[in-house]
Amino acid sequence: MAGPYSCMLLGDLGADVIKIEPPGTGDQTRGAMGFKMKGPDSMGFLNMNRNKRSVAVNLKSEAGRELFYELVKNADILVENYRPGVMKKLKCDYETVAKYNPRLVYASISGFGQSGPWAGRPGFDLMAQAMSGVMSVTGHPGGPPVKAGVPVADIGCGLFATYAVLAAYIGAKATGEGQYIDASLFEAALAFSVWDISEYWGRGTQPIPLGTANRMSAPYQAVKSKDGYFVMGATNQKLWLLLCETLGRNELVEDPRFKTNPDRLANREVLIEELEKTFVTRTSDEWVEALLGVGIPAGTMYTYPEAFESEHGRHREMRIEIDHPHEGKVSNIGFAVKLTGTPQQVRLHPPLLGQHTDEVLKEIGLDTSAVEALAARGAFAP
């Protein structure tokens, strides 16, 4: 997921992204998710591969590699998402292809990086979450292991790879020299651990799961209301005093267990018990409105459908529709940041497997006879 996601972001910004796929099967996520769309590609694939062109090439064949080198000569950036060693075995590693294009920015994305004792392991988001420590702080105290509900290591690695690629591209434009980028899911997940590892390094105490609570301040979590739960945060002394006033619980201000933020953190469980005695008297929507009305951060707990279809989600255009030859109108997640000067655009629907092979080969100067010769040597065969 990390490599395709990173390249989609680059495509959204205007890059001409050529997706190299194995003939016959293509990207394995084309067949993922366990339910069928109208066409052969999964909804997950359709949400990670807009603004790309697909070229189906068998990199295990000598002819396929020759074609790959021709593509490399015309490229600014190469992103690969194989386990370490695979690209070298295919003779498509950085040392090999940089001879054809010294200005190439080459990014390798893997589970654990290109070096170290874990480098050769297969790496997926679940393993990265577990082995980075993320799962050790996810869930509720004393509960079973829980992973983050969204693939934070995959998406995080895709984002880190993207910023590294863009930085290296700027450098290559200035110097004419490319470079190699080594990104991993493991390190991406570790990079998110700012507060958690700071607690360990600063206090010597191992971070534990806190449910929806926060290590830095209390109250700052989901709380029970009359009809369910909502989230709120009185993250400083001013907001704490305002919360007590709004709840009509001014006796809590003088309670020695809750006088300061460190006191409230030390007594978080009993603090929430006290607050929920009041919160359960009104609905979540009533409390969210009341707290926001006096400037205390609060929010409703939405499902994904509710979030995307909310008035704000629709205003921010976080659900967009793309025309697709098999699916008709297909939903996609909208652009997560908005650029005013060079706004992202959907230029291409998620490609069909090998859809642009002939088009791209013509662009790099291969005529019909050359393509036929490559085909005869197995360049496009599964």
Side-chain angles (χ1 to χ4, degrees):
M1 185 179 188
Y5 189 81
S6 173
C7 293
M8 183 182 72
L9 297 181
L10 295 171
D12 287 349
L13 292 169
D16 177 15
V17 179
I18 299 171
K19 183 179 180 73
I20 306 296
E21 302 187 69
T25 57
D27 180 337
Q28 65 179 10
T29 62
R30 286 185 181 272
M33 299 196 71
F35 64 90
K36 293 290 290 181
M37 303 292 286
K38 295 176 183 176
D41 297 330
S42 74
M43 192 65 187
F45 177 87
L46 298 176
N47 254 293
M48 286 191 291
N49 289 282
R50 63 181 177 234
N51 288 331
K52 302 177 185 179
R53 298 192 288 170
S54 173
V55 172
V57 178
N58 182 358
L59 295 180
K60 294 181 179 180
S61 71
E62 184 178 347
R65 286 193 295 273
E66 290 176 8
L67 175 55
F68 183 73
Y69 299 150
E70 290 299 315
L71 291 167
V72 164
K73 291 176 184 178
N74 293 273
D76 297 298
I77 298 159
L78 188 155
V79 178
E80 64 92 3
N81 203 168
Y82 286 110
R83 195 189 306 189
V86 170
M87 290 297 273
K88 186 174 182 63
K89 185 177 180 180
L90 292 172
K91 300 179 182 177
C92 296
D93 55 300
Y94 177 67
E95 288 73 16
T96 299
V97 301
K99 298 173 184 175
Y100 295 93
N101 184 352
R103 62 181 174 80
L104 184 70
V105 172
Y106 188 119
S108 289
I109 296 175
S110 62
F112 298 96
Q114 301 297 308
S115 64
W118 297 347
R121 294 189 180 193
F124 294 98
D125 180 83
L126 178 63
M127 288 73 205
Q129 286 199 36
M131 299 177 73
S132 66
V134 167
M135 285 178 63
S136 75
V137 297
T138 305
H140 290 276
V146 178
K147 74 175 182 65
V150 295
V152 292
D154 261 332
I155 296 295
C157 186
L159 292 171
F160 286 128
T162 301
Y163 99 81
V165 161
L166 293 174
Y169 175 69
I170 292 170
K173 294 286 281 187
T175 66
E177 295 182 5
Q179 62 176 294
Y180 182 70
I181 296 166
D182 178 1
S184 81
L185 276 63
F186 174 70
E187 287 154 290
L190 279 176
F192 290 143
S193 69
V194 175
W195 297 126
D196 309 276
I197 196 60
S198 293
E199 179 177 1
Y200 177 70
W201 286 339
R203 299 177 57 187
T205 55
Q206 180 172 307
I208 62 171
L210 296 176
T212 62
N214 182 266
R215 302 190 189 285
M216 303 300 296
S217 56
Y220 182 79
Q221 64 182 83
V223 289
K224 186 172 178 58
S225 69
K226 186 176 183 179
D227 63 346
Y229 287 85
F230 69 97
V231 294
M232 53 77 59
T235 55
N236 58 42
Q237 195 66 14
K238 178 182 177 181
L239 290 174
W240 165 245
L241 298 177
L242 186 58
L243 176 66
C244 293
E245 179 182 346
T246 304
L247 268 58
R249 298 291 303 276
N250 288 319
E251 80 279 6
L252 298 178
V253 172
E254 299 304 323
D255 192 316
R257 297 172 298 176
F258 314 135
K259 289 280 286 186
T260 66
N261 185 58
D263 294 328
R264 293 190 289 276
L265 283 170
N267 297 283
R268 180 189 290 111
E269 292 185 6
V270 66
L271 167 66
I272 299 304
E273 289 176 5
E274 284 293 334
L275 294 178
E276 287 184 341
K277 290 177 182 178
T278 304
F279 284 140
V280 295
T281 64
R282 299 170 69 181
T283 67
S284 293
D285 286 345
E286 289 174 322
W287 280 119
V288 169
E289 182 178 1
L291 295 178
L292 290 177
V294 297
I296 297 173
T300 305
M301 295 182 65
Y302 286 132
T303 63
Y304 274 123
E306 290 169 337
F308 275 94
E309 297 304 323
S310 67
E311 183 181 9
H312 190 75
R314 291 196 305 271
H315 176 83
R316 299 296 291 178
E317 298 181 321
M318 285 310 295
R319 177 180 178 177
I320 60 177
E321 289 193 329
I322 296 175
D323 291 318
H324 189 274
H326 288 158
E327 307 300 335
K329 295 287 186 181
V330 62
S331 295
N332 258 217
I333 299 172
F335 307 118
V337 294
K338 276 63 176 177
L339 282 72
T340 57
T342 54
Q344 304 99 311
Q345 298 177 5
V346 177
R347 297 170 286 105
L348 300 170
H349 65 74
L352 308 181
L353 176 59
Q355 177 182 347
H356 304 94
T357 302
D358 292 342
E359 174 182 295
V360 171
L361 300 190
K362 183 177 179 180
E363 288 177 5
I364 63 172
L366 297 180
D367 59 24
T368 302
S369 61
V371 173
E372 290 176 350
L374 288 168
R377 298 169 56 210
F380 313 112

